Amino acid sequence: MNRDGFFRLSSKPAAPSWRSRLPARRARPCRDSLISLSFGGAVGLMFLMLGCALPQYNQYWPLFVLFFYILSPIPYCIARRLVDDTDAASNACKELAIFLTTGIVVSAFGLPIVFARAELIYWGACALVLTGNTVIFATILGFFLVFGSNDDFSWQQW
């Protein structure tokens, strides 16, 4: 009988669980980052859908912004695969990728404004879409900041 008043069935100490064998320092920040990035993406898409589907707006032209969400990380991902990160000097391929990404992001912010000026959508819908753009692009930037390092767990594994 042990100190708690219970009988011990075996003389061996209990084996550590599988959770205690995991590296705690990596699992926790990764999970928290994924949850916060998922929440940010959901909030951004909610603003985009509100700008399209509210009864007073009822125009789905702002959904063309989704193409910019898909296209924005592609130049940087391609440049990251092609360029060796060992040299500290600026690289023309990475600079071109950043320039193209900036053009895509500016176009994503400009398209709803052009739609509102052409009176295809209302200005309230434009404001909701621009808010959604801000949240989505901040989420994409956060993804590259969290998973962009060259360690064992990076975005290149995705």
Side-chain angles (χ1 to χ4, degrees):
M1 189 184 290
N2 60 6
R3 288 188 290 164
D4 300 330
F6 295 105
F7 290 101
R8 185 176 297 199
L9 296 178
S10 83
S11 60
K12 294 185 339 186
S17 70
W18 62 273
R19 288 186 185 190
S20 64
R21 287 182 252 157
L22 291 177
R25 60 183 171 83
R26 279 195 179 171
R28 184 80 178 171
C30 176
R31 186 179 67 192
D32 293 343
S33 300
L34 281 176
I35 290 171
S36 63
L37 289 172
S38 301
F39 181 73
V43 168
L45 288 176
M46 178 197 66
F47 279 118
L48 177 64
M49 291 301 147
L50 284 175
C52 295
L54 282 177
Q56 63 264 30
Y57 304 138
N58 201 20
Q59 295 292 326
Y60 289 90
W61 288 105
L63 284 180
F64 282 110
V65 174
L66 290 173
F67 291 118
F68 295 116
Y69 297 162
I70 295 168
L71 291 176
S72 64
I74 290 176
Y76 188 71
C77 291
I78 292 172
R80 185 84 187 243
R81 290 281 187 181
L82 295 176
V83 174
D84 185 26
D85 284 340
T86 57
D87 55 335
S90 178
N91 192 349
C93 185
K94 284 177 79 172
E95 296 292 330
L96 178 65
I98 292 170
F99 176 76
L100 292 175
T101 302
T102 304
I104 292 170
V105 171
V106 168
S107 299
F109 280 97
L111 186 67
I113 296 171
V114 169
F115 283 162
R117 294 271 310 192
E119 297 181 358
L120 289 174
I121 63 173
Y122 293 103
W123 283 102
C126 178
L128 285 169
V129 173
L130 292 178
T131 305
N133 280 350
T134 304
V135 174
I136 289 289
F137 286 122
T139 303
I140 292 171
L141 176 67
F143 179 80
F144 281 106
L145 290 177
V146 170
F147 296 107
S149 63
N150 286 330
D151 58 355
D152 293 337
F153 190 77
S154 68
W155 61 271
Q156 293 175 349
Q157 294 177 355
W158 298 69

